[in-house]
Amino acid sequence: MKLLIVGDCHGFGGMMSAAHVAVELSADAIIACGDVWDVDRSIYIARDNTNAVPPFHMIPGNHERWSIWAKGLFADGIVAHLDYTKFELGGRTFGVIGRIDDTPRVRELMDLGLWLGEPPEMFFTRLEGQQVRDALGGSDVLLFHDAPFPFVLGHRPISTAQEWIGLGPADTEIIGSRYLNEVIRTIEPKLVFHGHMHLLDIRYIKQTRIYGLPPIDPTFTRRGYVLLDTATLRAQYFDMSGEKLDG
């Protein structure tokens, strides 16, 4: 299978952007790494009098419409995956931890006025090591919303939309969830994909290749996506001009 994997959608515009890319590239499924938002809206692109959009898989971010998640009121074609669950696509097993980690740095940013979501829904639950192995063991790929430590954060680009507020230029800071780092070391997947930070970052933790994805949200200037071949587990990152940057 050919999978399209994207970062934050930030609503219907980002969902449609992902759908158009998926249809153009004949992807068999879409996976969004959280902050999808408008999950009760159907995505439709007509081809030969049918909907050409493949199944849209998603995990929770820190900003979601939680009442929809609680009631399971997802639109047709949208497949939601909860924390500490696994699913299969193309013969590969995907494990999920969405939302973000409840860390002192996150609480500090919230105290400074940065709106990061609604506690407690925005935070994932931490489990003990054996519980993590029981839930996610055997995963070929892990899907996170939050970034595992270490993630290098400098100037974080924000949307051109008026309602977005960012911290602006900042000194380089090493951030990320140490818990998710330990999850990677425990499960040892081949690949990890995450969103949340709005930055492209490709790195390794031990033998696991980590892809931090920028948003697919069309109001952002730096956008991109990954194509994953499940037969080989080869991942290729493309920016939105179509230029392959990694593979």
Side-chain angles (χ1 to χ4, degrees):
M1 292 183 74
K2 181 196 294 184
L3 306 181
L4 175 72
I5 303 179
V6 300
D8 299 17
C9 292
H10 297 153
F12 191 69
M15 296 166 70
M16 284 301 300
S17 290
H20 279 290
V21 172
V23 171
E24 179 182 350
L25 299 178
S26 300
D28 298 296
I30 302 166
I31 298 176
C33 295
D35 278 10
V36 182
W37 300 1
D38 294 333
V39 295
D40 59 340
R41 296 186 62 178
S42 296
I43 307 169
Y44 190 91
I45 298 175
R47 292 289 189 277
D48 299 323
N49 296 318
T50 63
N51 188 3
V53 179
F56 193 110
H57 296 258
M58 63 177 185
I59 70 172
N62 54 309
H63 297 292
E64 299 294 355
R65 296 171 62 189
W66 296 115
S67 61
I68 296 174
W69 281 80
K71 298 174 183 177
L73 300 176
F74 306 110
D76 290 342
I78 294 181
V79 185
H81 299 282
L82 301 178
D83 296 346
Y84 299 105
T85 62
K86 295 186 292 189
F87 64 97
E88 290 193 3
L89 286 173
R92 300 295 184 175
T93 301
F94 294 77
V96 174
I97 304 179
R99 312 173 200 252
I100 63 173
D101 200 358
D102 188 356
T103 65
R105 181 57 174 152
V106 167
R107 293 289 182 169
E108 180 184 351
L109 291 173
M110 293 173 69
D111 289 342
L112 291 172
L114 192 65
W115 187 63
L116 292 176
E118 302 172 6
E121 289 87 355
M122 62 186 280
F123 295 124
F124 61 71
T125 300
R126 296 186 184 191
L127 299 182
E128 299 295 333
Q130 188 56 53
Q131 293 175 303
V132 172
R133 282 188 285 272
D134 290 343
L136 300 178
S139 296
D140 300 298
V141 180
L142 289 179
L143 303 171
F144 300 153
H145 181 62
D146 204 354
F149 180 90
F151 186 95
V152 179
L153 182 67
H155 175 66
R156 185 179 181 186
I158 62 173
S159 166
T160 56
Q162 293 295 319
E163 65 270 19
W164 282 87
I165 299 174
L167 294 181
D171 293 335
T172 298
E173 183 179 4
I174 309 300
I175 60 173
S177 169
R178 293 181 183 273
Y179 172 81
L180 293 178
N181 182 295
E182 288 302 317
V183 169
I184 293 168
R185 294 173 183 274
T186 298
I187 302 301
E188 297 184 329
K190 298 294 185 183
L191 296 166
V192 170
F193 300 96
H194 72 85
H196 184 50
M197 294 299 179
H198 301 172
L199 292 169
L200 172 66
D201 187 271
I202 303 173
R203 62 201 190 278
Y204 280 92
I205 295 176
K206 295 185 69 175
Q207 299 302 310
T208 299
R209 192 162 178 81
I210 319 294
Y211 287 80
L213 298 176
I216 195 75
D217 176 352
T219 68
F220 279 69
T221 55
R222 182 64 185 272
R223 305 162 65 216
Y225 57 87
V226 161
L227 288 179
L228 176 64
D229 181 346
T230 59
T232 61
L233 281 183
R234 185 185 182 194
Q236 296 175 282
Y237 177 82
F238 295 82
D239 73 7
M240 293 303 286
S241 69
E243 177 188 359
K244 186 179 72 172
L245 300 182
D246 177 79

